[in-house]
Amino acid sequence: MKRYWSQVLARRNGLLVAPTEQNWRFDNLLLNGLGLPIEETLRHLMHAAPTFAEFEAWVLAKNGGHLDPMQVARLNSLFTGKPYPAALQQNLREVEAAPDVLSAEDLAFWDEHGYVVVRGAVSKEQARATELAVWEALGMDPLDPATWYQKPIGKGIMMDFYHHPTLLANRQSKRIRKAFAQLWHTADLWKTTDRTSFNPPETKLYHFPGPHLHWDMSLEPPFRFGTQGLLYLCDTPAEQGAFCCVPGFHRQLESWVADLPPGTDPRRVNLDDLAVPIAAEAGDFVIWHHALPHGSSPNRGTYPRIVQYLNMYPVEFKETLAWR
């Protein structure tokens, strides 16, 4: 923590060059291990320039006054090169031994299409509790559409809303963790502390601001395996601003990029006609291969689309959003 704090403040004061990819990777592991959003933490350090003691107090406050001892032990093992403690090793073995969440059919669908829906990743009651927490954080009334447009949500439809107890509980979902473990072939995964999103219906005065189809990964080969995910907090039919992607594109991305005319920016190629909305119910979790073009979609329904983003990745994974 002290190294990270000192380096960010050095950059703030113009005393240090940009970090290397490896530094970004370890910094992200540190922050995710401490349950801290990357952008929120950087913004706090850059704006407040706290002392280290003040930074420690801020980290504790964001974690409800205490840190998870197992996560602290895990971070210490990572940065010292020492083996995981016995309790953590036992926890990982229990995840490995837990019944599969994704069936053989689910995994075949994943291989072919590059996404999968984990049904009932959290209970509908838990999803509803999180949805209500979002409404409360926004100061909006779910029964009064006039309140849905009175103030900015955040960056477009993305909210800086991370630390509510219901969000933390969702990140502990055993079904979500097991599904990621199946896709990564390991239970030793680090979970992200990511945003929530509120996408209200379009009106004559309010138009969907994006994000439209995009990638959150480098488009320079070689392309590595990676995942992303979101939890639907309310029932979301296709027309209600559902998550959308181009199914199967992970299988052709490399050849598609290679075949583009010289000088073409792949991020500017319009693939909208290939996009498919993924409808799901409250409590369902969508995982997609990060090589799929993906995005939100305009909400042409009558109720907002409300989701929580969550991803998991192994320590060896190098391509992280903060580095990009």
Side-chain angles (χ1 to χ4, degrees), residues 70-138:
M70 191 171 293
Q71 280 296 89
V72 172
R74 193 179 188 202
L75 284 168
N76 286 332
S77 293
L78 172 67
F79 294 124
T80 62
K82 296 180 179 179
Y84 284 160
L88 179 53
Q89 294 186 41
Q90 177 61 27
N91 177 268
L92 296 177
R93 286 194 295 268
E94 290 173 358
V95 176
E96 297 281 6
D100 287 343
V101 168
L102 301 177
S103 67
E105 292 75 16
D106 290 330
L107 294 173
F109 187 92
W110 165 269
D111 288 340
E112 179 67 22
H113 299 284
Y115 75 92
V116 67
V117 181
V118 181
R119 303 294 179 184
V122 305
S123 69
K124 290 188 179 297
E125 292 77 15
Q126 175 65 19
R128 176 61 174 166
T130 313
E131 180 198 344
L132 291 176
V134 170
W135 285 110
E136 182 179 1
L138 290 171

Side-chain angles (χ1 to χ4, degrees), residues 109 113 115 213 232 238-239 241-248 271-279 286 292-297:
F109 187 92
H113 299 284
Y115 75 92
L213 287 182
Y232 279 118
E239 72 276 6
F243 166 80
C244 62
C245 62
V246 179
L271 299 172
D272 289 349
D273 290 343
L274 303 177
V276 174
I278 310 302
V286 183
L292 295 187
H294 63 276
S296 302
S297 58

